[in-house]
Amino acid sequence: AQSVTQLDSHVSVSEGTPVLLRCNYSSSYSPSLFWYVQHPNKGLQLLLKYTSAATLVKGINGFEAEFKKSETSFHLTKPSAHMSDAAEYFCVVSDPSGSARQLTFGSGTQLTVLP
Amino acid sequence: EPEVTQTPSHQVTQMGQEVILRCVPISNHLYFYWYRQILGQKVEFLVSFYNNEISEKSEIFDDQFSVERPDGSNFTLKIRSTKLEDSAMYFCASSRRQGANEKLFFGSGTQLSVL
């Protein structure tokens, strides 16, 4: 069985300050991990994914995430928030089978960016 | 970037009525999925579809649910007799290749409200 926990349901940052969205997972396997973003009235968009290559993964729009097996974490970061980053972010874990059924979503973190 | 489109964006129906949620996946994609998110809960897998057949389905996807690709472009989810607990945001997704390790493209969702 696998699970994913997003530790903050809401995060609020000022524009230009760093963003940290936290995600912890549990899995019996070596998982694949993803971050998706959903802007208002838009579909879920893949930001980045980890699939057992480099532990530091760079994604779109300046986001990156680091896979830390010892901490079972996959936190999402960005050095400097932009107003357009305001959205809901989902951490997702998948088992190695790659089955779509085995995609487990976190409960989401709503990011607010203050001017 | 190509998009998955879903219609309608909002659907209100009476309990016991049939609803059809429509999706147009990305044109060269071969794998199609439905997920849903009940308010306040996590995104859940419903079904995956390939080569005009269901590949996988979850326990949620009972006999009241069906999927179809009627004309080679649309991908529909039908709920035969809606229940109050079917109220949720329904997301369609598609991918070129199988599985969660591939990039899934999601639509913006259909908010279904069952009264």
Side-chain angles (χ1 to χ4, degrees):
Chain A
Q2 60 192 25
S3 67
V4 59
T5 302
Q6 290 183 243
L7 296 158
D8 307 292
S9 58
H10 291 85
V11 169
S12 186
V13 301
S14 297
E15 190 175 21
T17 64
V19 176
L20 170 64
L21 305 183
R22 298 183 293 167
C23 172
N24 285 99
Y25 71 92
S26 69
S27 175
S28 304
Y29 314 96
S30 297
S32 296
L33 291 153
F34 310 80
W35 276 98
Y36 280 84
V37 60
Q38 186 179 24
H39 289 91
N41 302 315
K42 296 285 189 181
L44 291 157
Q45 181 185 22
L46 182 66
L47 271 181
L48 50 80
K49 69 178 181 179
Y50 166 78
T51 54
S52 75
T55 56
L56 182 62
V57 182
K58 293 189 185 298
I60 61 172
N61 301 335
F63 284 93
E64 61 183 38
E66 186 171 7
F67 174 72
K68 291 187 177 179
K69 187 175 181 178
S70 61
E71 298 176 10
T72 61
S73 69
F74 189 59
H75 300 334
L76 182 71
T77 60
K78 182 173 180 178
S80 176
H82 192 271
M83 297 297 289
S84 61
D85 295 328
E88 185 144 25
Y89 292 79
F90 294 92
C91 182
V92 182
V93 63
S94 168
D95 80 5
S97 74
S99 161
R101 178 184 181 139
Q102 298 305 324
L103 270 185
T104 301
F105 283 73
S107 51
T109 298
Q110 183 68 45
L111 176 65
T112 301
V113 182
L114 304 170
Chain B
E1 188 168 73
E3 287 186 349
V4 173
T5 55
Q6 289 186 243
T7 55
S9 56
H10 292 84
Q11 172 101 42
V12 180
T13 190
Q14 296 288 326
M15 190 170 56
Q17 294 295 304
E18 174 184 284
V19 294
I20 297 176
L21 309 183
R22 291 185 166 79
C23 169
V24 179
I26 293 168
S27 61
N28 63 348
H29 284 187
L30 300 175
Y31 296 85
F32 313 109
Y33 316 88
W34 283 100
Y35 291 82
R36 79 172 185 188
Q37 184 180 27
I38 295 171
L39 185 65
Q41 298 184 23
K42 296 184 179 183
V43 175
E44 305 170 288
F45 171 78
L46 290 178
V47 66
S48 60
F49 190 85
Y50 168 71
N51 199 26
N52 283 321
E53 288 183 346
I54 290 174
S55 309
E56 293 177 288
K57 59 182 182 178
S58 72
E59 297 76 20
I60 302 166
F61 195 89
D62 62 19
D63 291 345
Q64 292 300 310
F65 291 88
S66 62
V67 289
E68 193 178 33
R69 190 156 159 80
D71 56 11
S73 63
N74 289 284
F75 178 52
T76 61
L77 174 69
K78 182 194 289 187
I79 308 174
R80 287 190 184 82
S81 178
T82 50
K83 302 189 282 285
L84 295 176
E85 54 265 37
D86 293 328
S87 295
M89 177 72 86
Y90 288 80
F91 292 103
C92 173
S94 68
S95 63
R96 288 186 65 186
R97 287 179 284 269
Q98 182 183 8
N101 291 338
E102 292 300 319
K103 182 175 179 179
L104 266 65
F105 289 76
F106 285 84
S108 56
T110 293
Q111 181 65 54
L112 176 65
S113 298
V114 182
L115 305 178

